[in-house]
């Protein structure tokens, strides 16, 4: 009866409290995950839409806490709200740089590896310096790393983020605008941000080829590609899952594709075995 009583009280806990409790525990677990090195980066290839040649890769964080895998969609927002994205983000930067340096030791020059940066990482005016210094310390050229940002970088901050991005760009590090076409896309962002690449959001690729033969998001994708070309930006389609999507994107003049059709994100050794070994053949 006692146990039942306890449960009854719990079930009356307001939803809001439950959310706070959930977040607290996830936050605590994230803190421990950092200490116990439970994170890993996986790598997803980006290939030339025509030749299939490896053009780059995106590093994506993975968290396995010993029992479960927790998806980044679930824990990155908590890390952002709690501020833990600062140390986690630094771990991502350092891990990627160390991995790139190791791969270059093994395989010589390799295509650039992109990391994701959260808007919150730009709140402190040091993220660009951190990246540039660590790359120099690892002996990497600026072309070895790229960063992916979303346009929300402009909503969150007091303007300092654009300066940070300018510094990265000035150092020769390419910047991709992620998830393009979602959120509050404003074309003026394209002029304010020192970007070199547009990544068309997966949702548009998903609706590119519809079974009933109707055009879906094709007119939009066509327009985004034309606009990117006229601004001399390269264009990556993300979330390409099918051959028809790939064919359509090639027809539309999309340069680079990324998605399960080519490969899921892979652990470092698996990625190297599949995509970095014997690239000449
Ligand atoms: P994102 O940057 O848009 O990353 C692309 C997501 O799409 C990845 O999910 C990737 O695994 C997934 N994906 C790739 N190809 C396909 C496909 O063909 N079909 C489908 N359905 N999905 C595909 P993931 O790894 O779960 O990451 C989710 C989000 O979490 C990322 O979205 C990014 O916003 C964030 N994230 C991941 N790693 C990091 C990181 O190191 N730092 C930060 N700040 N955010 C990260
Ligand atoms: Ca990304
Ligand atoms: Ca994306
Ligand atoms: Ca996203």
């Amino acid at each position: 009866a006692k146990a039942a009583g306890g449960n009854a009280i719990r079930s009356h806990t307001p939803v809001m409290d439950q959310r706070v409790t959930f977040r607290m525990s996830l936050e605590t677990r994230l803190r421990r995950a950092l200490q116990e090195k439970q994170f890993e980066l996986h790598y997803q290839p980006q290939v030339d839409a025509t030749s299939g040649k490896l053009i780059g890769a995106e590093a994506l964080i993975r968290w396995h806490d010993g029992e479960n895998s927790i998806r980044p969609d679930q824990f990155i927002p908590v890390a952002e709200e709690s501020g833990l994205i600062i140390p986690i983000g630094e771990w991502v930067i350092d891990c990627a740089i160390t991995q790139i340096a190791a791969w270059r030791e093994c395989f010589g020059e390799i295509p650039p590896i992109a990391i994701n940066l959260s808007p919150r990482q730009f709140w402190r005016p040091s993220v660009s310096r951190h990246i540039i210094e660590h790359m120099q310390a690892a002996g990497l050229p600026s072309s070895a790393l790229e960063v992916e940002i979303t346009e929300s970088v402009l909503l969150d901050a007091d303007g300092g983020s654009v300066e940070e991005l300018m510094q990265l760009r000035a150092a020769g590090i390419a910047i991709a605008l992620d998830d393009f076409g979602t959120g509050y896309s404003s074309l003026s962002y394209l002029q304010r941000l020192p970007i070199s690449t547009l990544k068309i959001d997966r949702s548009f690729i998903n609706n590119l080829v519809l079974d009933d033969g109707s055009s879906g998001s094709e007119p939009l994708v066509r327009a985004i590609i034309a606009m990117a070309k006229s601004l001399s930006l390269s264009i990556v389609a993300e979330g390409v899952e099918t051959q028809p999507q790939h064919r359509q994107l090639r027809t539309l003049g999309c340069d680079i594709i990324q998605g399960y059709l080519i490969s899921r994100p892979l652990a470092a050794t698996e990625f190297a075995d599949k995509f970095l070994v014997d690239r000449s053949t």
Side-chain angles (χ1 to χ4, degrees):
K2 248 190 176 174
N7 286 338
I9 289 166
R10 280 186 93 138
S11 70
H12 284 100
T13 308
V15 173
M16 206 39 220
D17 285 0
Q18 284 177 14
R19 279 213 196 112
V20 169
T21 311
F22 172 73
R23 193 176 73 218
M24 289 282 284
S25 66
L26 198 55
E27 208 177 304
T28 310
R29 285 161 63 202
L30 273 174
R31 244 176 254 282
R32 201 175 48 204
L34 261 172
Q35 282 166 357
E36 297 181 359
K37 308 201 186 327
Q38 292 172 349
F39 297 115
E40 213 183 304
L41 288 182
H42 282 201
Y43 298 85
Q44 188 177 37
Q46 303 173 330
V47 303
D48 184 290
T50 310
S51 69
K53 193 170 157 263
L54 186 73
I55 297 289
E58 177 177 5
L60 294 154
I61 196 167
R62 295 291 176 263
W63 176 22
H64 191 81
D65 73 355
E67 281 172 45
N68 304 298
S69 291
I70 302 98
R71 292 164 42 100
D73 285 336
Q74 290 182 292
F75 71 82
I76 292 288
V78 175
E80 286 174 338
E81 275 175 57
S82 63
L84 282 169
I85 194 63
I86 300 295
I88 292 174
E90 284 176 356
W91 178 86
V92 169
I93 293 165
D94 297 348
C95 180
I97 287 175
T98 305
Q99 185 60 258
I100 296 167
W103 279 338
R104 289 173 74 99
E105 279 283 302
C106 267
F107 306 110
E109 218 170 288
I110 60 164
I113 308 292
I115 56 171
N116 290 280
L117 295 181
S118 290
R120 177 119 187 213
Q121 290 179 267
F122 291 95
W123 287 12
R124 300 204 306 191
S126 58
V127 68
S128 61
R129 209 186 54 220
H130 180 94
I131 291 172
I132 292 163
E133 284 177 1
H134 280 239
M135 286 182 70
Q136 283 169 349
L140 294 182
S142 56
S143 58
L145 187 83
E146 288 184 6
V147 303
E148 296 191 2
I149 55 160
T150 58
E151 60 208 11
S152 56
V153 81
L154 287 173
L155 302 176
D156 272 5
D158 47 21
S161 52
V162 176
E163 260 134 71
E164 287 289 305
L165 290 169
M166 293 291 185
Q167 283 175 35
L168 286 175
R169 199 71 201 98
I173 294 170
I175 300 165
L177 188 57
D178 208 351
D179 302 348
F180 185 74
T182 62
Y184 299 94
S185 292
S186 153
L187 294 185
S188 69
Y189 293 166
L190 294 178
Q191 283 193 311
R192 287 171 60 198
L193 291 169
I195 54 170
S196 48
T197 304
L198 273 191
K199 296 190 76 174
I200 309 176
D201 190 70
R202 187 166 84 217
S203 55
F204 298 109
I205 308 306
N206 222 354
N207 294 318
L208 192 56
V209 185
L210 298 178
D211 293 337
D212 64 1
S214 64
S215 65
S217 58
E218 196 235 71
L220 262 173
V221 172
R222 185 190 293 275
I224 293 172
I225 293 171
M227 185 182 60
K229 295 239 150 131
S230 73
L231 294 168
S232 303
L233 301 172
S234 24
I235 186 112
V236 177
E238 47 176 31
V240 180
E241 293 181 351
T242 68
Q243 282 295 353
Q245 289 168 352
H246 182 184
R247 266 198 300 278
Q248 184 70 347
L249 285 160
R250 210 164 39 205
T251 307
L252 293 173
C254 178
D255 307 317
I256 302 166
I257 60 166
Q258 176 182 354
Y260 294 166
L261 178 67
I262 309 301
S263 171
R264 288 179 178 266
L266 302 172
T269 46
E270 210 183 333
F271 174 76
D273 286 348
K274 270 205 167 129
F275 292 98
L276 299 180
V277 176
D278 283 343
R279 267 174 308 136
S280 49
T281 58

